[in-house]
Structure formats: structure tokens, C-alpha cells
Amino acid sequence: MKKELTTNLNKYLANLGVLYIKLHNLHWNIVGINFKAIHEYYETLYDGISASLDSVAEIIKMHEQAPLATLKSYLEASDIKELESSEIDNKKSLKIVLEDFIKMKSLVEQIRKDANQEDLYDIVTLMENHLEQYTKSIWFIRAMLK
């Protein structure tokens, strides 16, 4: 596997790790009229991120590379930004998650493209599954913001 693909997979892994914590933060701190529905929705999102985190780390290992595995390394490699822990309006929180998911989808598309060029079809398949989830989540969030 080329170095750029390994770097992007580790960046994606780091993004997943930071996003997992960020979604918990939002889950705990959102307020507003649709609190219960969004609170529960965020739980489904971070549960999905947890499964993705594991599958990405494992595919990196399957290709005999080293996955990032510390919070420090995640924060250094990630382009998903942490949030301070404070109350946040549910509409604002949805916009933050939407922005992050669009960013994640773009990175996954790049990883899929690079893996396809290297004939790494196990990575292509994994990324296609992740793309499907981001596409659906982006649609859901946009609908909630209308």
C-alpha cells in the first residue's frame, strides 16, 4: 500500500476518533425543542462511528501498516475539530455535524479512489459502505435542518 493511502487511512481513523468524542459532547449538551429526537439520533451516530473506528484500524493492520492508536495522535492527524463542553442549540449542533460528515465523506471518497487505483478492493468495499452511511446521514441532517 502506498504511503499516501496509509496516511489518509490514518487521518480517517483519527477523524473517526475525534468525531466519536465530539458526537458524545453534542449528545450530552444539546438543548432545544427537538432535544429528545436529536439526542437519540446522535447516539445512533456515535455507535456507528465506533464500529467504523474498529473496521478502519483493522483494515490498516490487515495491510501490515500501523494504525494510530492514541488520542494525542488522533488530535494531531485529524481535521475534525473538538468542541468545548457547553450547551449548544440543536440546530447549531446539526450544522456542525453536517459540516463534519461532508468532510468525512470527501476523505472517504479520496481513500476509495486511491485504493481502487492500487487494486485494494477490500478497502474500496469498506469505503463504499462508509460512503453509503455518510450520504444517508447527510440527507437526514439536511432534512432535519429544513
Side-chain angles (χ1 to χ4, degrees):
M1 181 165 35
K2 291 182 182 173
K3 183 177 179 169
E4 182 180 350
L5 181 55
T6 301
T7 299
N8 278 338
L9 279 167
N10 266 313
K11 178 179 180 180
Y12 181 48
L13 182 66
N15 282 357
L16 288 166
V18 174
L19 188 56
Y20 178 76
I21 299 300
K22 187 175 188 174
L23 286 166
H24 275 84
N25 182 345
L26 292 169
H27 170 80
W28 296 322
N29 288 304
I30 59 159
V31 295
I33 192 152
N34 293 315
F35 166 80
K36 186 175 187 310
I38 296 170
H39 177 80
E40 291 172 355
Y41 179 62
Y42 285 164
E43 185 173 354
T44 65
L45 291 179
Y46 66 66
D47 285 346
I49 295 291
S50 176
S52 294
L53 187 72
D54 190 54
S55 65
V56 171
E58 287 177 350
I59 208 149
I60 293 169
K61 290 292 289 182
M62 286 188 280
H63 287 274
E64 299 180 0
Q65 301 299 312
L68 298 177
T70 66
L71 294 177
K72 180 181 178 186
S73 64
Y74 286 177
L75 289 170
E76 290 170 354
S78 179
D79 61 0
I80 301 294
K81 301 302 175 206
E82 289 185 297
L83 289 175
E84 292 298 319
S85 180
S86 62
E87 282 190 354
I88 186 166
D89 172 77
N90 58 26
K91 193 168 187 176
K92 183 177 179 183
S93 76
L94 285 167
K95 287 178 182 179
I96 290 168
V97 174
L98 177 61
E99 182 180 305
D100 287 343
F101 275 35
I102 290 170
K103 191 179 292 186
M104 296 291 276
K105 182 180 177 192
S106 177
L107 179 57
V108 168
E109 288 170 335
Q110 184 61 53
I111 293 168
R112 184 199 168 283
K113 180 182 170 190
D114 293 345
N116 193 49
Q117 289 175 346
E118 293 186 45
D119 294 331
L120 299 172
Y121 297 114
D122 55 342
I123 297 173
V124 171
T125 300
L126 180 63
M127 293 301 109
E128 286 178 350
N129 292 335
H130 289 212
L131 278 171
E132 180 182 1
Q133 291 305 311
Y134 290 119
T135 301
K136 187 173 187 177
S137 294
I138 289 166
W139 169 55
F140 275 23
I141 295 167
R142 285 183 172 148
M144 287 189 279
L145 286 169
K146 286 188 176 184

